[in-house]
Amino acid sequence: MAARRRLLLCLLLLATTLSPTAVASDGAGESKKTYIFRVDHRAKPTVFPTHAHWYTSAAFASPASAGADPLEPLHVYDTVFHGFSASLTASRADELRRHPAVLAAFEDQVRQLHTTRSPQFMGLRARLGLWSLADYGSDVIVGVLDTGVWPEHRSLSDRNLPPVPARWRGGCDSGPAFPASSCNRKLVGARFFSQGHAAHYGATAASAAAASNGSSAEYMSPRDADGHGTHTATTAAGSVSYDASMEGYASGVAKGVAPKARVAAYKVCWKGAGCLDSDILAGFDRAVADGVDVISVSIGGGNGAVSPFYIDPIAIGSYGAVSRGVFVATSAGNEGPAPMSVTNLAPWVATVGAGTIDRSFPAEIVLGDGRRLSGVSLYSGKPLANNTMLSLYYPGRSGGLSASLCMENSIDPSLVAGKIVICDRGSSPRVAKGVVVKDAGGAAMVLANGEANGEGLIGDAHVLPACSVGESEGDALKAYAANITNPTATIVFRGTVIGVKPAPLVASFSARGPNGLVPEILKPDFIAPGVNILAAWTGATGPTGLESDPRRTEFNILSGTSMACPHASGAAALLRSAHPGWSPAAIRSALMTTAVVTDNRAGAVADEAEAGRAATPFDYGAGHVALGRALDPGLVYDAGDEDYVAFMCSIGYEANAIEVITHRPVACPTSTAGRKPSGSDLNYPSISVVLYGGGNQSRTVIRTATNVGAEAAATYRARVEMSSGGVSVAVEPEKLVFSTTVQKQSFAVTVAAASAPAGAAPVYGHVVWSDGRGHDVRSPIVVTWLQPM
């Protein structure tokens, strides 16, 4: 009991230190907040037919009311999590914390979304390989937790699809602008979850979202008013759509990674208002109960926010899904290139970073002195007149910080009328700066990166002629504007270019490691296409997402780890179809150990944020997804419930904290042979070793490989590839022999260092198992040093 009380106190303290929640009043002066309660479901008396009946009975009513004030849950969870959420005063929440069946409680929090050619760039080919073998994923159902879906879009057409799999248990929630008939053999399910939002904002989710962003276009139904959900769902599993483009850009055939897979949309996020933990958890709960095979979650805390797994609803919900055989892909976050910015760190999910593809949308700024500076743009309106040079103006020279950022009402119309205006990136949406310039009478805009964004470029569908440039080009442009008496320029838009080299690059915004919660687990796991991705779009808002943008487009081009995540979800759908017996861990292993770390010039994958810098496993994890190889990885590193429990024990979680995640009693294993367990011991496809202190340090980790190749008899030999840094890595045994009777083999990897390198810099490498028949099973190795506490 003492340990349980310590856990509850820890949860209470952590909850009270997280970001504040909007509150409602109980009418007597005490404000309310939404709390999520984890309940021991086994404690339900048999007199109650369901847990919902139990929670709303006198058993959970306020003691002061003598049962006359029953609990009113917002959500009841009974699949991936057991318990409920409710809007309560702090004193009432404290009463429930003391209920003998309540294991834990934490406050609801707001999370944010992480916002044609990419399947081919990952190695998929029509009528060949994984697409052909998996029948394009036709028997797999992908659940997407996001902003809903635009059901009429042709990327959600069910033409030529077979009947919905008989095992499907989901439904189609009706609501405004979304009749139940909106679902079909492609969009097999659609649900929405607004109770958490309604409690958080003191209004319905739709009106709260409208109030927060000035929009009237939100729907109390699964219909997508934002566009993000439609884009991610069709990136993962959009049907084949011919003659697709975004106003002429990226024209061609649009299709998802698993174009015949079925989509189930779970609207847990609302336009401009974010995503509440209580609604996200309800989405997980319902999706697993409905029978999805894959869940795609492009949502996270942002700003590198991390919480212990037992108070992180995405970690809790995803564990419940994975333990039932559902693969979960999550986005790594968009706070790169800052180190330790990666989110969604649970080792049972795939955490996906973003990379570029070999397609770009170039634009050039031609200066009055003849120089040409390179940028990118998705502007599709009337271009600047040929050879017309316009005056160039940088508001930051005289207008201060807000003017340099082109914030609303910050620039003087008399100074920018008819000119090309240079705006610094940051503090407001990129496209919103263009609106400011246009409203002030500017003719065009150049958006210049600063140090925080480096050379990473993202195309935007600007409302006026505009393009983005990297830090070096931006500095050159501003220097020209400052040093020339009458600086002039024009912008030339070059359309779509295919075959760009080098690619992939790690996107500058893609969140980076090391893992800020458990450094022994390398995150992100891998990268996938996430820059300038074309997919379906909502009919409710323009391509910029701004309320003032009247344009409507059938497809849109977006960038973010939000776009990378559904690429992984679609990939998992194909692998699940091709290998229905594989566990979520086996699927993730196949994606990781076959990932590539070289680009289309056969050079090392580089970091977009810093020209000339080779990326590391902290940037790309195991590498960039290569689906042509993932179909037949040779070996996989599998893991299940017992492995994850042992992992949580090894990082110091008490048994009752682990039970919040697992929904069942656990007993932590004891140390063997005096060896202290470590998070590095989890049978993970990557190896991250933390050494403490100075010299003469070593650490041994064990991995178990399972042969999934076509040949039961196979022999693999190890080789180690390490960068310099005074670290030695030994593998024992150096040969693994598999047979019809032996399909699992374990090996030890010992990392040793006589001393920490200068500055205690991380050391990187790989261990590769090769069978000489085309299988190279590659695991990244990262060695870091920490000073003991």
Side-chain angles (χ1 to χ4, degrees):
M1 287 300 293
R4 181 172 179 271
R5 291 191 189 100
R6 287 197 300 272
L7 170 63
L8 296 180
L9 178 59
C10 174
L11 293 173
L12 176 59
L13 290 173
L14 282 164
T16 56
T17 59
L18 293 172
S19 59
T21 306
V23 295
S25 172
D26 68 348
E30 191 175 1
S31 61
K32 290 185 176 182
K33 296 181 180 180
T34 300
Y35 298 84
I36 301 171
F37 294 87
R38 166 73 171 94
V39 178
D40 183 355
H41 61 289
R42 296 159 301 178
K44 178 183 74 66
T46 56
V47 67
F48 298 107
T50 68
H51 286 88
H53 286 88
W54 182 35
Y55 301 150
T56 56
S57 73
F60 284 85
S62 173
S65 71
D69 183 20
L71 183 71
E72 297 180 0
L74 300 173
H75 294 293
V76 172
Y77 311 107
D78 56 13
T79 304
V80 302
F81 182 79
H82 288 283
F84 58 87
S85 60
S87 180
L88 305 166
T89 64
S91 58
R92 181 73 176 95
D94 286 340
E95 288 178 354
L96 286 172
R97 281 190 176 95
R98 293 190 291 271
H99 191 286
V102 171
L103 297 177
F106 43 94
E107 273 188 39
D108 208 2
Q109 301 294 326
V110 180
R111 295 174 186 260
Q112 301 299 326
L113 296 160
H114 284 157
T115 166
T116 52
R117 183 173 170 79
S118 50
Q120 288 89 337
F121 190 72
M122 293 195 299
L124 292 171
R125 297 293 181 269
R127 297 182 295 277
L128 294 173
L130 186 52
W131 260 348
S132 176
L133 184 61
D135 189 26
Y136 299 86
S138 66
D139 58 343
V140 177
I141 300 165
V142 179
V144 182
L145 274 60
D146 213 293
T147 63
V149 71
W150 196 259
E152 297 85 5
H153 202 286
R154 59 189 172 113
S155 291
L156 294 169
S157 167
D158 64 356
R159 183 180 180 183
N160 296 327
L161 283 180
V164 177
R167 57 190 166 77
W168 177 241
R169 301 180 294 275
C172 202
D173 291 351
S174 60
F178 203 98
S181 60
S182 298
C183 293
N184 57 23
R185 295 191 306 276
K186 179 68 173 182
L187 180 62
V188 298
R191 301 185 185 276
F192 67 102
F193 304 87
S194 62
Q195 295 92 322
H197 266 286
H200 181 88
Y201 291 103
T204 66
S207 62
S212 70
N213 65 8
S215 169
S216 58
E218 181 55 286
Y219 308 92
M220 282 297 293
S221 73
R223 183 169 290 278
D224 180 14
D226 180 89
H228 192 276
T230 301
H231 197 281
T232 56
T234 55
T235 297
S239 298
V240 174
S241 296
Y242 295 95
D243 298 319
S245 74
M246 198 290 288
E247 298 296 321
Y249 285 98
S251 59
V253 180
K255 52 186 169 296
V257 177
K260 288 187 179 180
R262 318 310 172 97
V263 173
Y266 298 85
K267 185 175 180 178
V268 300
C269 303
W270 298 79
K271 186 176 181 180
C275 328
L276 268 293
D277 282 345
S278 56
D279 293 336
I280 294 170
L281 195 53
F284 268 111
D285 206 59
R286 187 69 259 172
V288 175
D290 287 345
V292 302
D293 302 296
V294 174
I295 293 178
S296 189
V297 189
S298 294
I299 304 169
N303 298 312
V306 296
S307 300
F309 300 136
Y310 50 79
I311 61 169
D312 178 353
I314 292 180
I316 294 169
S318 60
Y319 183 93
V322 169
S323 68
R324 289 164 175 79
V326 178
F327 180 94
V328 179
T330 62
S331 48
N334 297 336
E335 303 302 324
M340 206 178 292
S341 53
V342 63
T343 64
N344 291 321
L345 303 174
W348 42 86
V349 304
T351 306
V352 190
T356 66
I357 63 174
D358 63 343
R359 180 179 63 195
S360 183
F361 310 105
E364 285 184 327
I365 303 102
V366 182
L367 304 184
D369 62 6
R371 283 184 292 163
R372 294 175 178 265
L373 305 180
S374 298
V376 299
S377 180
L378 294 170
Y379 172 71
S380 59
K382 184 179 179 181
L384 298 176
N386 288 337
N387 301 318
T388 299
M389 304 299 286
L390 301 178
S391 294
L392 185 67
Y393 179 72
Y394 176 48
R397 288 193 63 194
S398 57
L401 178 61
S402 62
S404 72
L405 294 165
C406 296
M407 304 296 286
E408 190 172 3
N409 299 319
S410 68
I411 54 180
D412 186 344
S414 67
L415 298 176
V416 303
K419 298 178 180 179
I420 297 177
V421 181
I422 305 169
C423 297
D424 289 332
R425 183 174 170 182
S427 298
S428 65
R430 300 182 301 275
V431 290
K433 298 176 188 294
V435 174
V436 172
V437 172
K438 184 178 181 181
D439 289 348
M445 177 184 73
V446 177
L447 185 63
N449 281 1
E451 183 179 359
N453 303 109
E455 302 306 318
L457 294 179
I458 297 173
D460 291 302
H462 291 286
V463 297
L464 82 171
C467 74
S468 299
V469 295
E471 181 185 10
S472 59
E473 301 282 59
D475 289 346
L477 183 64
K478 284 181 279 190
Y480 169 74
N483 297 321
I484 299 296
T485 302
N486 182 28
T488 60
T490 190
I491 304 175
V492 181
F493 302 97
R494 301 295 188 188
T496 303
V497 174
I498 301 297
V500 173
K501 295 183 179 182
L505 304 171
V506 178
S508 62
F509 58 78
S510 187
R512 315 301 172 95
N515 184 328
L517 186 62
V518 188
E520 292 86 356
I521 297 295
L522 178 63
K523 293 285 184 174
D525 290 311
F526 50 82
I527 61 172
V531 177
N532 296 331
I533 303 302
L534 179 80
W537 192 241
T538 176
T541 190
T544 63
L546 298 175
E547 191 66 20
S548 60
D549 186 356
R551 298 173 296 173
R552 296 295 181 266
T553 180
E554 189 183 17
F555 294 86
N556 203 0
I557 295 173
L558 299 181
S559 298
T561 56
S562 277
M563 285 65 251
C565 172
H567 279 88
S569 305
L574 294 175
L575 291 175
R576 170 57 55 86
S577 183
H579 301 289
W582 281 10
S583 70
I587 292 173
R588 181 185 56 202
S589 177
L591 293 171
M592 291 176 67
T593 62
T594 59
V596 296
V597 294
T598 54
D599 60 28
N600 56 3
R601 296 189 308 187
V605 170
D607 185 351
E608 184 187 41
E610 185 178 343
R613 187 183 83 85
T616 74
F618 280 152
D619 305 317
Y620 54 57
H624 190 281
V625 170
L627 288 183
R629 299 160 43 129
L631 172 64
D632 181 19
L635 306 176
V636 297
Y637 298 99
D638 210 349
D641 287 352
E642 291 185 4
D643 302 285
Y644 296 130
V645 168
F647 162 78
M648 287 186 278
C649 290
S650 75
I651 63 173
Y653 285 7
E654 294 185 0
N656 51 345
I658 299 172
E659 188 178 342
V660 172
I661 301 169
T662 62
H663 327 148
R664 61 181 178 83
V666 300
C668 287
T670 57
S671 301
T672 57
R675 183 176 180 271
K676 183 180 179 181
S678 164
S680 297
D681 295 326
L682 179 64
N683 197 41
Y684 213 67
S686 57
I687 298 172
S688 179
V689 173
V690 179
L691 300 178
Y692 294 88
N696 297 318
Q697 298 291 311
S698 67
R699 175 75 198 177
T700 298
V701 300
I702 306 297
R703 293 291 185 268
T704 299
T706 301
N707 181 21
V708 294
E711 300 293 333
T715 300
Y716 285 80
R717 289 176 171 81
R719 71 176 185 271
V720 174
E721 305 165 347
M722 294 297 294
S723 63
S724 60
V727 173
S728 66
V729 176
V731 179
E732 179 63 34
E734 296 181 343
K735 181 172 71 173
L736 300 179
V737 179
F738 299 91
S739 66
T740 55
T741 58
V742 179
Q743 290 296 290
K744 292 179 181 289
Q745 290 279 20
S746 296
F747 60 93
V749 178
T750 300
V751 176
S755 62
V763 176
Y764 310 103
H766 294 87
V767 58
V768 185
W769 289 99
S770 299
D771 66 351
R773 300 178 180 179
H775 294 119
D776 289 317
V777 186
R778 180 185 300 269
S779 293
I781 300 175
V782 177
V783 183
T784 54
W785 279 261
L786 292 177
Q787 293 299 319
M789 300 296 290

